[in-house]
Amino acid sequence: VPVLNDHVLYSEWRKRVLWWSDSTSKPKEQRAATLIGHMSGAPERQAINLDRAKLNVPDGVNVLLSEMDKLYKKDQTAIVFTAIEDFINYRKPPNTTMGEYLREFKQRYRLLQECRTDPTQHIFDDELLAY
């Protein structure tokens, strides 16, 4: 069951919820309650105040996600800014192999490229990647 707390990125949790929901044998009417039971901190405080009757239905996970999106989902500008900031500020951690560093670098660059509104445009030219 995906865990959401103050230290987990909401966007990553949301993706895990969709995968979990597709693979769990838990009855659909109990899935939203199960997810809330695996929350803590601010997300839990928000979720426990939602209407149980609206969550204990076959579509309860979608209702929960919709309500949590209102609070935690970033707008597109914030997503682009965060991706740029994460990419620019990434440095090779000590004790990390060059292969691990390059995989993480490429992952951050891929996430940055996914933020493009025009797929033919690059956010950074290739020459700037290795400054």
Side-chain angles (χ1 to χ4, degrees), residues 29-130:
E29 294 82 4
Q30 297 174 6
R31 292 179 186 179
T34 301
L35 288 167
I36 293 170
H38 286 82
M39 292 180 184
S40 63
E44 178 190 33
R45 287 190 295 278
Q46 297 297 324
I48 62 173
N49 290 310
L50 298 174
D51 185 352
R52 288 179 54 211
K54 292 181 181 176
L55 297 175
N56 294 334
V57 297
D59 198 36
V61 169
N62 290 330
V63 172
L64 176 62
L65 291 175
S66 177
E67 291 298 320
M68 298 303 281
D69 282 352
K70 293 175 188 175
L71 300 167
Y72 292 104
K73 194 171 183 181
K74 294 180 179 179
D75 65 15
Q76 189 60 32
T77 302
I79 291 169
V80 171
F81 179 78
T82 300
I84 290 171
E85 186 175 55
D86 287 348
F87 179 76
I88 289 173
N89 293 327
Y90 182 63
R91 302 289 181 263
K92 182 182 174 290
N95 303 322
T96 301
T97 67
M98 188 53 73
E100 292 168 338
Y101 168 73
L102 289 173
R103 275 191 295 280
E104 180 64 22
F105 180 89
K106 289 176 182 177
Q107 170 68 10
R108 289 172 187 248
Y109 185 62
R110 184 186 62 75
L111 291 173
L112 186 63
Q113 294 299 72
E114 287 176 2
C115 293
R116 297 177 297 187
T117 54
D118 179 357
T120 63
Q121 296 285 327
H122 291 284
I123 294 178
F124 289 111
D125 289 331
D126 288 340
E127 294 83 23
L128 294 176
L129 291 179

Side-chain angles (χ1 to χ4, degrees), residues 20-37:
W20 171 80
S21 187
D22 288 344
S23 65
T24 187
S25 59
K26 176 84 64 189
K28 290 184 176 187
E29 294 82 4
Q30 297 174 6
R31 292 179 186 179
T34 301
L35 288 167
I36 293 170

